[in-house]
Amino acid sequence: MSIELSLSCSYPKLYFERKLDRYRSPYSDPFEYQSILDKDIPDSLYSDVLATGTERFAGISDRIERGKNHLRALIEHADKAFEPRYWWTAYLGGEPIGLVFPQFIPDLKNVGSVWHIGVCNVYRGSGYGRILHAHALEALSVLGANRYLGSTQVDNYAMIKVFEANGCNFKSFRIIEEFTNGDGRALD
């Protein structure tokens, strides 16, 4: 039996990297972090943060449901490296402000990444993204990652600024093809 896949979308991505040896965040971190295991992700984060950045679920009009589908796809993509203790919701004064999901990259020894990061719409432009990202870099370093590899779509200027603010260097540009089953590949 063969499964026929069809192309869902293709998009350009930028890749960044940095060394993590004993990395410590340079920022004063005002957030309280809760693992997605300990506390459900608030609906505002499903609709503001997880419903964006993926074309695969664009046909789902309910933003909360689209965000939940995206989370399931992220978990599936993380595969054997999925470690939900380190997938966090960030709170400020009890209010959810964003998500950050640091983890190791499957099949790459001692290389970490951030599977997803985002800040609620009302807090964008506040500098919170760079703090969340630095928190994730520090966590990866403490867990034993000695290198970080991250990516973003070419028009995500806010994330590009976060990479630059946190000492990440541009590594490469790639075109990514995504298929209807969620698999993807880079066209090199």
Side-chain angles (χ1 to χ4, degrees), residues 9-181:
C9 62
S10 63
Y11 48 90
K13 286 190 93 167
L14 300 175
Y15 287 80
F16 292 81
E17 66 180 351
R18 74 157 288 145
K19 291 182 180 178
L20 289 180
D21 300 322
R22 295 185 294 277
Y23 177 86
R24 294 297 175 258
S25 172
Y27 310 112
S28 174
D29 190 336
F31 306 124
E32 174 190 335
Y33 295 89
Q34 291 282 325
S35 162
I36 64 170
L37 284 176
D38 299 332
K39 192 171 184 177
D40 288 340
I41 295 173
D43 285 349
S44 62
L45 294 177
Y46 279 116
S47 63
D48 280 2
V49 177
L50 284 164
T52 61
T54 181
E55 298 299 322
R56 188 168 12 141
F57 305 112
I60 301 172
S61 60
D62 181 290
R63 292 183 61 80
I64 294 170
E65 193 56 38
R66 187 182 326 159
K68 289 180 179 183
N69 276 292
H70 188 195
L71 177 63
R72 284 190 286 275
L74 288 168
I75 291 169
E76 186 177 308
H77 180 64
D79 196 29
K80 63 184 180 243
F82 176 56
E83 182 50 77
R85 290 179 298 165
Y86 305 109
W87 286 34
W88 296 304
T89 301
Y91 292 87
L92 182 63
E95 289 293 315
I97 64 96
L99 296 168
V100 63
F101 300 161
Q103 73 161 58
F104 285 89
I105 298 175
D107 304 321
L108 290 181
K109 186 174 173 64
N110 300 324
V111 179
S113 190
V114 174
W115 240 231
H116 195 78
I117 184 172
V119 175
C120 283
N121 293 338
V122 297
Y123 296 107
R124 291 191 180 147
S126 63
Y128 290 167
R130 68 181 162 77
I131 296 170
L132 292 176
H133 187 256
H135 182 80
L137 295 178
E138 182 173 321
L140 288 165
S141 178
V142 168
L143 292 169
N146 57 30
R147 193 170 133 235
Y148 169 78
L149 181 62
S151 67
T152 191
Q153 293 187 4
V154 296
D155 60 352
N156 189 343
Y157 305 112
M159 192 65 215
I160 294 167
K161 286 182 182 179
V162 166
F163 284 134
E164 291 169 347
N166 288 333
C168 299
N169 299 306
F170 176 75
K171 179 180 174 147
S172 64
F173 168 89
R174 301 172 97 179
I175 301 293
I176 305 298
E177 286 186 332
E178 200 169 88
F179 298 93
T180 52
N181 72 341

